Amino acid sequence: MSKILFVMTGVDYWTLADGTKHPTGYWAEEVVAPYTAFKAAGHEIVVATPGGVVPTVDKGSLAPEVNGGQEGAAAIAAVLDAATELRQPIRLAEVKLADYDAVYYPGGHGPMEDLAVNAESGELLNAALASGKPLGVVCHAPAALLATAVDGSSPFAGYRVTGFTNAEETQAGFADKAKWLLQDRLVDLGVDFREGAPWAPHIEVDRTLYTGQNPASSAPLAAELVKALG
């Protein structure tokens, strides 16, 4: 059995370019699909957030239209309700990487607000990359890589990375409202950004870094992490 750290956003909003706060949090599928896969493989999960606050689910991610209908939405909600780890997070500042076999960052727009500028998260990501342990990051969670720069450059520069694309943000209706776009910032960071078709599953594996483009990529990403953990 392995122990996997879920690093999750601690906010329930995303500040748009006009200063308004868009309600958000974490995206349900990006937690539920990996959570289910890791539990089925017998692994233990610990959740960490900035300040140890209980993470908030983006209400939009519970809607039937993004979960294949009412039955799928009910199944997603049932997993979240039963996941006691989500209600007992530890403080990100207290994380000891040595205690974990892998690290996973789910998305939602929340990480664009807090993890993108969280130094503790940035240090953890850099340590995880250097450790050789599997590191999974999906959808908007690669925003957390923006906090990894040391002396002007990031250890993630040059790695193949995917994440929520400009095309997807445009189709979601937020590209013209956002302060910045994730794909643009990741390119500026120096990663080798790889873009798949909008909304289709797409993952990139570069050494021990596993990234997924969108919610549909979270299940295949989790499958790869399960394989990596043996």
Side-chain angles (χ1 to χ4, degrees), residues 24 38 56 160 179 198:
T24 185
F38 297 150
T56 298
R160 286 196 320 278
K179 290 182 179 179

Side-chain angles (χ1 to χ4, degrees), residues 10 101 210:
D101 301 289
Y210 299 73

Side-chain angles (χ1 to χ4, degrees), residues 14-96:
W14 173 38
T15 306
L16 301 178
D18 66 359
T20 60
K21 293 183 176 181
H22 173 69
T24 185
Y26 68 84
W27 197 259
E29 182 179 359
E30 295 165 28
V31 169
V32 169
Y35 180 94
T36 303
F38 297 150
K39 285 288 195 175
H43 301 314
E44 179 184 353
I45 293 169
V46 174
V47 172
T49 63
V53 302
V54 175
T56 298
V57 64
D58 187 316
K59 300 298 189 294
S61 69
L62 299 175
E65 53 265 33
V66 297
N67 290 297
Q70 187 58 51
E71 187 174 337
I76 286 267
V79 174
L80 293 179
D81 287 345
T84 55
E85 297 92 341
L86 291 170
R87 293 183 288 281
Q88 301 168 345
I90 64 173
R91 295 169 60 91
L92 184 56
E94 297 171 358
V95 167
K96 294 181 176 63

